[in-house]
Amino acid sequence: MAGPIAQFEIKSLVDVAEFGAIEIAFTNSAAYMVLTVATAGLFLILSTHGRLLVPDRWQAASELLYEFVAKTLRDNAGEKGAKFFPLVFSLFMFILTANLIGMFPFAFTVTSHIVVTFALAMLVFLTVTLYGVYRHGFRFFRLFLPAGVPLVLAPLIVPIEVISYLSRPVSHSVRLFAVMLSGHITLKVFAGFVVSLGSLGTLGLLAAVAPLMMTVALTALEVLMAVIQAYIFTMLTCMYLNDALHPGH
């Protein structure tokens, strides 16, 4: 039986090109990202194509997701944050769908790789920074000296705020990556216990009941965390966008 780390191995499916030590290939990670986008897109298209006045369960589900993200954006970034709704909703649907797809047996969880979550976090970071500078100019940098802080404390506060700001992509990405990685490893370990004990005969089958129950409980917890982590990433994105819209507040 493969170890708990084997599920995160990136494998080349189609070799595209090779330049010295650099290899360009279509990997299982890329395939699951394509699957994630296709699944989320098809769900939204098929569930809303009828545009029923009285929605069925599928349209109601898509409308619920829409309103949930819209409310999160309004609560954390204000009404002006609506212009960023397509970005925020796309991030939420991508992360949520990728997390849920990763729960299927033998599936690949793209959000368990730091390179993917960091790319998403950098997209948010660059959007916030570039829009903030474009919209407010040098006034955007008031973000590093919160309102009401005495100027005498600026040499101390500003470096702290700058470091905190620059570390956002790291904390934003590591949170999602770490939770998905650790959760899947733990789930794989307990599932391995069930298989190993089950192969030892009658006594092994009896002993396997406890790790089996733990595996079921962990599976339910992982599904819950898949949803929660998508929400947390989205909420933090909205909070960061608020800094671009209202710097210094």
Side-chain angles (χ1 to χ4, degrees):
M1 183 176 178
I5 303 298
Q7 59 183 311
F8 307 111
E9 181 182 357
I10 295 181
K11 302 176 182 178
S12 175
L13 301 180
V14 179
D15 293 328
V16 178
E18 187 173 345
F19 302 96
I22 300 176
E23 179 183 355
I24 300 177
F26 185 75
T27 65
N28 54 343
S29 178
Y32 272 92
M33 282 189 273
V34 171
L35 176 63
T36 297
V37 173
T39 302
L42 283 174
F43 167 73
L44 293 173
I45 292 172
L46 295 178
S47 62
T48 59
H49 78 282
R51 299 181 182 179
L52 302 174
L53 185 60
V54 180
D56 57 18
R57 66 182 64 183
W58 295 108
Q59 182 175 328
S62 61
E63 289 179 358
L64 179 64
L65 292 171
Y66 180 97
E67 287 298 329
F68 174 75
V69 176
K71 184 178 185 303
T72 302
L73 185 57
R74 284 194 303 269
D75 291 345
N76 291 280
E79 294 297 332
K80 292 183 179 180
K83 65 182 68 178
F84 293 104
F85 178 79
L87 170 65
V88 176
F89 187 70
S90 297
L91 287 171
F92 174 77
M93 288 301 299
F94 178 85
I95 295 172
L96 177 63
T97 306
N99 289 350
L100 293 178
I101 287 177
M103 291 302 303
F104 285 90
F106 308 108
F108 185 87
T109 310
V110 297
T111 48
S112 65
H113 280 259
I114 187 66
V115 66
V116 175
T117 59
F118 186 74
L120 297 176
M122 279 302 298
L123 173 62
V124 175
F125 178 79
L126 292 175
T127 299
V128 170
T129 303
L130 294 177
Y131 180 82
V133 173
Y134 165 77
R135 181 68 177 82
H136 303 284
F138 287 108
R139 289 180 300 167
F140 174 70
F141 298 105
R142 292 184 303 178
L143 182 68
F144 303 132
L145 187 64
V149 175
L151 289 177
V152 69
L153 295 178
L156 176 63
I157 299 298
V158 171
I160 294 175
E161 291 294 328
V162 170
I163 294 173
S164 175
Y165 184 81
L166 294 178
S167 66
R168 283 181 178 181
V170 177
S171 61
H172 202 186
S173 59
V174 168
R175 183 180 291 104
L176 173 60
F177 148 75
V179 170
M180 301 311 298
L181 180 73
S182 60
H184 280 66
I185 289 177
T186 305
L187 187 60
K188 182 76 172 183
V189 168
F190 277 94
F193 286 158
V194 175
V195 175
S196 298
L197 292 172
S199 63
L200 299 179
T202 303
L203 291 178
L205 288 174
L206 293 175
V209 172
L212 176 61
M213 294 177 60
M214 182 61 70
T215 301
V216 173
L218 285 173
T219 301
L221 179 62
E222 276 295 282
V223 173
L224 178 62
M225 292 307 298
V227 177
I228 291 176
Q229 286 303 310
Y231 166 68
I232 291 176
F233 194 98
T234 303
M235 182 184 65
L236 289 174
T237 297
C238 295
M239 294 174 63
Y240 296 157
L241 288 170
N242 181 63
D243 291 337
L245 294 165
H246 312 101
H249 292 279

